[in-house]
Amino acid sequence: ALVEADRRKDEFLATLAHELRNPLAPIRQAALLARSAAGDPQRQGRALEVIERQVGHMALLLDDLLDVSRISRGKLALRLQPVALADVVAAAVETARPMLEAKGHVLHVRLPPGQTLLQVDPVRLAQVVSNLLSNAGKYTDPGGRIEVDAVVEAATLVLTVRDNGIGLSADDQQQIFGMFSQVASAIDRAEGGLGIGLALTRGLVELHGGRIAVCSDGPGTGSEFIVTLPTRLPDNPASPAAAPAPAPQAGALLRRKVLLADDNADALETMAALLDIEGHE
């Protein structure tokens, strides 16, 4: 077991280096392009879009790493509040939609009639569902079918994400939720990633007092991921969390005097410049 864990860690470190290095080439090239295309606003704008997109990809990878680390050390705290199941699922679908549409998948969502309230961290539960949707989208051939089904029985929510993708062998089902786990037959379909998505998903589900399981009849038969959560409705359920008030328009922002402290000179300089553009001192 120790030898296997060591091998998987080595593979993970190699994958991590590769995944973090991949965006650096387009970022470096786009930065050079933005500098040399000062007289061409259209080309400069495209270069900046590349930088933003690639930095966003790197940030997602690092956020997942930090979340897994916090869960393993017991440092990730949930912000529980009453929220409607439909709102959580809608947020998850919105996150996963670009990838699902790019591959031409058909998504079907079936939720219980009426309003189902949960006492959960809405951001983290939406992350669970979007991770499962993205996972299904990755490992299903273009034009596939993905389903989200939810039922509530005896104060327990059972949410299933089902696909008609590549499926899982019995051995893969045993280890799919492990850290640094990559199914060998699916590596060429992973489209990048660190093999920690399902480990993170399981950790977030268990923090909510729930459990997650996978079911597949074997390779080529699709997969089902089943999340079971206590609804934990309060005795006097509050109405679902209200949407945050819209941010004031830029012109209405108060001008502030701000002290910045950072040991990274580039971070310090760029944050100061951004605040200066907004009119702060």
Side-chain angles (χ1 to χ4, degrees):
L2 286 171
V3 169
E4 174 64 12
D6 188 56
R7 182 189 66 79
R8 284 166 57 185
K9 187 191 294 185
D10 286 344
E11 287 181 357
F12 166 75
L13 290 173
T15 303
L16 175 61
H18 179 74
E19 287 295 316
L20 292 179
R21 195 174 188 279
N22 267 349
L24 290 181
I27 289 171
R28 184 183 295 116
Q29 290 153 197
L32 292 171
L33 184 59
R35 183 193 297 273
S36 61
D40 186 343
Q42 187 174 5
R43 177 171 287 184
Q44 194 172 52
R46 285 201 299 270
L48 294 176
E49 287 174 5
V50 168
I51 292 173
E52 289 179 352
R53 183 164 56 248
Q54 295 298 326
V55 168
H57 175 66
M58 292 181 76
L60 288 175
L61 290 174
L62 294 172
D63 283 346
D64 280 356
L65 274 175
L66 289 171
D67 283 345
V68 167
S69 174
R70 291 186 188 111
I71 288 173
S72 66
R73 293 181 292 121
K75 299 291 187 182
L76 195 148
L78 298 179
R79 294 180 176 141
L80 300 177
Q81 57 185 281
V83 63
L85 171 64
D87 292 342
V88 172
V89 173
V93 169
E94 192 62 28
T95 298
R97 188 183 302 280
M99 189 269 282
L100 299 180
E101 290 182 346
K103 295 191 70 173
H105 294 319
V106 177
L107 175 65
H108 294 272
V109 178
R110 288 182 287 270
L111 302 181
Q115 187 179 71
T116 301
L117 284 181
L118 306 172
Q119 187 76 0
V120 296
D121 183 322
V123 173
R124 294 304 187 178
L125 187 56
Q127 187 178 359
V128 165
V129 181
S130 67
N131 279 357
L132 294 177
L133 285 173
S134 297
N135 200 65
K138 279 183 186 179
Y139 300 110
T140 299
D141 288 333
R145 179 184 178 90
I146 297 171
E147 301 174 358
V148 178
D149 281 311
V151 295
V152 176
E153 297 176 352
T156 299
L157 168 70
V158 179
L159 186 144
T160 303
V161 177
R162 184 181 302 108
D163 64 64
N164 61 347
I166 65 173
L168 292 165
S169 69
D171 288 343
D172 289 337
Q173 292 176 55
Q174 293 296 318
Q175 54 92 24
I176 193 70
F177 295 108
M179 275 291 290
F180 318 141
S181 176
Q182 297 269 26
V183 175
S185 62
I187 293 292
D188 60 334
R189 298 169 177 257
E191 303 168 13
L194 301 175
I196 62 175
L198 288 175
L200 172 58
T201 299
R202 182 181 67 175
L204 292 174
V205 169
E206 290 177 351
L207 278 178
H208 280 88
R211 62 185 185 275
I212 184 169
V214 64
C215 177
S216 175
D217 290 334
T221 62
S223 303
E224 286 186 7
F225 287 84
I226 305 108
V227 175
T228 306
L229 288 175
T231 56
R232 279 201 291 241
L233 288 176
D235 292 334
N236 297 304
S239 57
Q249 296 300 310
L253 290 176
L254 295 173
R255 308 305 179 187
R256 298 292 192 184
K257 189 176 287 188
V258 184
L259 171 65
L260 296 179
D262 201 307
D263 59 358
N264 185 317
D266 286 344
L268 194 65
E269 180 182 348
T270 51
M271 180 57 73
L274 286 171
L275 289 170
D276 183 65
I277 289 172
E278 294 293 333
H280 303 294
E281 181 183 347

